Amino acid sequence: MIRKTVSNVSEALAGVQDGMTFMLGGFGLCGIPEKAIEELVRLGIKDITCISNNAGVDDFGLGLLLQKRQIKKMISSYVGENDEFERQMLSGELEVELTPQGTLAEKCRAAQGGFPAFFTPAGYGTEVAEGKETREFNGKMYVLEEAFKADFSFVKAWKGDEAGNLIFKGTARNFNPVMCGAAKITVAEVEELVPAGSLDPNQIHVPGIFVQRIFKGEGYEKRIEQRTVRKRN
Amino acid sequence: MRKESNNEPYEKEIKMLDKNGIAKRIAKEVKDGYYVNLGIGIPTLVANFVRDDISVEFQSENGVLGMGPFPFEGEEDADIINAGKQTITTLPGASFFDSATSFSMIRGKHVDLTILGAMEVAENGDIANWKIPGKMVKGMGGAMDLVSSAEDIIVAMMHTNRAGESKLLKRCTLPLTGVKCVKKIVTNLAVLEIGPEGFILLERAPGVSVEEIKQATEGTLIVSGDIPEMKLD
């Protein structure tokens, strides 16, 4: 067994520097690497390029890094829940590259799987395709999209073991699995860290080979963005 | 006991559908055995009106198939949300998956029907729904992937915007989400189909005249023969 455990978040983030590109898992606030984000705020790392489907809300998730002006560029598919983000983007303080959600996921998976690029129909004929190669296959037009290149991936899983194997819960899985192994170093934070051999190998979502460092995060807030309920009859 | 015709005058007064009315009409397009992706807003309401004697599974692109209703109060789970970031439940037979797998379902045409909102639709099937330059940029989320691949796309929207201007145009004025992809449109006034020469009027909302629909449609409207009223039940 190759051990991936580190003792805490600061050890997990050793080597992060200004100007780096980070991938961050999560959809909305669901399944975001809360502890890695807190540590990036504490370290005051600047000029970050973030690859993340969303940008958090004003006072949580990536919104915390936006408040401190630590982000230079965001690569996302949807940023509608964050007023500070919209302000910084419209005023030109923040560089933004909006990417279709499926393309964003596939650019991660391509990086993970060793593909330099792929063709997708998403965005053909729109400003997303401007300056990109397009090609026809079987009578339909496609856009050439390139794999991401990133320094660190920060992901959050439900359970993990010492070997770096990960299991996710519910829709907190989202972008996390495809970001594992898609950057030079993948840092996984988990709610529950167990000894190797405790997880059933049949149930592993992400094999440990894609993870370089794993640690147990303490005190997850797991904030709900839209609490919707129904009444009992 | 059968009600007498004293509610007839009320029915005659119904002009234009509300959001639930639009959702109700679209629900009739959902067929037995369909996998359906519902966008945010009016499309989400469609799930409430699908007949309960057919088998349908709702997909949410953040990574769940077999979406159920909102949870009972106190049973919300931060790890189980839909693409609108709302807390949800799952039904028997449901599954969770990562974002790349989710868009394989969409791009690979495994999802049968996509229902989404729009700011503008053009008579050639172009759609715009993600950006108002200089004013509002929320991002395309999964919309570009969905519209570029879906076999069947229904747009749910109001016929006119808040300023009273038509949203059914000759050409879209806003940045496009996809080209020549919309098949059908259900608005508060009408059901229309995209044909080779423009919007083909199929049905009128209860109490709405063809003339009123013409007035509210900037693009080419093709009216042939008697146009029936929508049946909602």
Side-chain angles (χ1 to χ4, degrees):
Chain A
M1 194 264 294
I2 300 172
R3 183 180 295 275
K4 303 293 173 70
T5 45
V6 294
S7 50
N8 55 43
V9 67
S10 57
E11 207 178 309
L13 268 68
V16 295
Q17 286 170 16
D18 291 352
M20 280 187 163
T21 299
F22 300 144
M23 289 182 169
L24 297 107
F27 186 97
L29 301 177
C30 182
I32 59 170
E34 289 184 25
K35 302 302 150 190
I37 293 170
E38 281 171 17
E39 183 67 5
L40 288 170
V41 172
R42 197 188 69 79
L43 291 170
I45 301 293
K46 293 208 163 46
D47 297 323
I48 305 170
T49 296
C50 283
I51 299 166
S52 169
N53 188 56
N54 309 92
V57 294
D58 283 330
D59 62 344
F60 197 58
L62 287 179
L64 298 170
L65 288 167
L66 284 164
Q67 273 182 2
K68 297 269 169 65
R69 308 277 200 282
Q70 289 173 261
I71 301 177
K72 181 184 73 176
K73 181 178 179 181
M74 280 294 311
I75 301 173
S76 305
S77 86
Y78 190 82
V79 293
E81 286 94 358
N82 191 314
D83 294 338
E84 175 62 14
F85 183 99
E86 200 162 16
R87 194 197 64 71
Q88 288 187 26
M89 174 170 55
L90 292 172
S91 71
E93 291 164 62
L94 181 69
E95 209 182 316
V96 179
E97 189 177 306
L98 288 165
T99 302
Q101 197 178 133
T103 301
L104 190 79
E106 207 59 28
K107 282 163 80 89
C108 296
R109 183 155 75 171
Q112 179 193 59
F115 295 100
F118 57 90
F119 280 101
T120 175
Y124 176 75
T126 75
E127 60 182 55
V128 165
E130 282 169 18
K132 293 175 185 161
E133 185 185 333
T134 58
R135 198 187 292 183
E136 187 184 320
F137 294 93
N138 305 315
K140 190 176 162 93
M141 293 304 293
Y142 294 81
V143 183
L144 186 69
E145 293 281 0
E146 292 184 15
F148 283 129
K149 290 185 185 72
D151 297 292
F152 279 83
S153 274
F154 298 115
V155 304
K156 152 83 190 342
W158 179 38
K159 289 180 185 174
D161 69 12
E162 296 165 306
N165 295 306
L166 304 177
I167 295 177
F168 300 88
K169 178 170 156 266
T171 55
R173 193 182 314 188
N174 56 62
F175 284 83
N176 286 297
V178 288
M179 288 179 172
C180 291
K184 289 175 196 154
I185 296 172
T186 297
V187 175
E189 52 184 88
V190 295
E191 289 175 55
E192 206 178 313
L193 184 61
V194 299
S198 321
L199 300 177
D200 177 356
N202 288 300
Q203 305 297 326
I204 302 295
H205 294 140
V206 171
I209 191 170
F210 293 124
V211 175
Q212 279 67 51
R213 303 172 189 170
I214 187 168
F215 70 99
K216 183 183 184 304
E218 300 291 344
Y220 280 96
E221 178 177 340
K222 298 218 269 185
R223 192 184 292 186
I224 292 175
E225 212 165 324
Q226 305 279 344
R227 187 179 300 273
T228 45
V229 295
R230 68 190 149 132
K231 291 253 182 278
R232 277 171 214 278
N233 288 332
Chain B
M1 201 180 77
R2 192 173 163 271
K3 275 191 181 168
E4 292 306 317
S5 59
N6 60 358
N7 57 2
E8 214 171 71
Y10 168 73
E11 281 179 7
K12 283 252 166 68
E13 274 172 24
I14 296 178
K15 284 172 82 88
M16 302 196 292
L17 302 174
D18 60 7
K19 289 177 177 182
N20 278 309
I22 296 173
K24 215 168 174 184
R25 175 59 191 82
I26 292 176
K28 293 167 82 79
E29 305 284 323
V30 178
K31 304 282 182 332
D32 191 29
Y34 266 21
Y35 291 103
V36 183
N37 180 287
L38 299 177
I40 296 163
I42 302 173
T44 306
L45 302 172
V46 172
N48 301 334
F49 301 107
V50 172
R51 280 162 46 192
D52 50 16
D53 60 336
I54 62 172
S55 304
V56 173
E57 283 193 24
F58 292 106
Q59 196 249 21
S60 202
E61 62 267 25
N62 58 315
V64 54
L65 194 57
M67 219 189 328
F70 294 147
F72 288 120
E73 248 175 307
E75 291 179 3
E76 316 90 276
D77 184 339
D79 290 329
I80 303 179
I81 63 167
N82 63 16
K85 285 93 181 177
Q86 298 171 312
T87 46
I88 53 154
T89 58
T90 54
L91 296 173
S95 56
F96 297 115
F97 35 84
D98 66 71
S99 300
T101 306
S102 181
F103 282 90
S104 292
M105 294 175 189
I106 291 163
R107 218 184 292 104
K109 300 183 187 296
H110 307 285
V111 171
D112 299 288
L113 175 64
T114 290
I115 303 167
L116 78 174
M119 296 174 188
E120 294 177 345
V121 175
E123 62 186 46
N124 66 348
D126 288 357
I127 177 173
N129 71 355
W130 69 285
K131 182 180 185 181
I132 303 173
K135 268 193 191 164
M136 184 287 290
V137 188
K138 294 199 181 299
M140 66 291 281
M144 284 192 182
D145 308 271
L146 282 157
V147 301
S148 67
S149 296
E151 288 286 304
D152 199 1
I153 300 173
I154 301 177
V155 167
M157 66 176 191
M158 294 296 162
H159 211 97
T160 53
N161 65 20
R162 278 181 201 147
E165 297 155 344
S166 181
K167 294 170 73 172
L168 290 91
L169 308 173
K170 285 193 190 309
R171 287 281 168 272
C172 290
T173 62
L174 296 171
L176 295 180
T177 306
V179 293
K180 295 179 186 151
C181 51
V182 175
K183 301 278 190 294
K184 202 174 241 183
I185 306 141
V186 179
T187 74
N188 50 333
L189 301 183
V191 179
L192 312 102
E193 204 174 62
I194 301 287
E197 273 131 41
F199 299 107
I200 302 170
L201 182 59
L202 299 179
E203 297 171 24
R204 299 172 288 119
V208 173
S209 70
V210 169
E211 197 47 46
E212 284 168 307
I213 297 165
K214 267 187 194 161
Q215 291 288 327
T217 308
E218 192 250 16
T220 311
L221 186 73
I222 296 154
V223 183
S224 80
D226 278 345
I227 306 298
E229 265 191 12
M230 288 180 205
K231 288 189 176 62
L232 294 173
D233 295 303

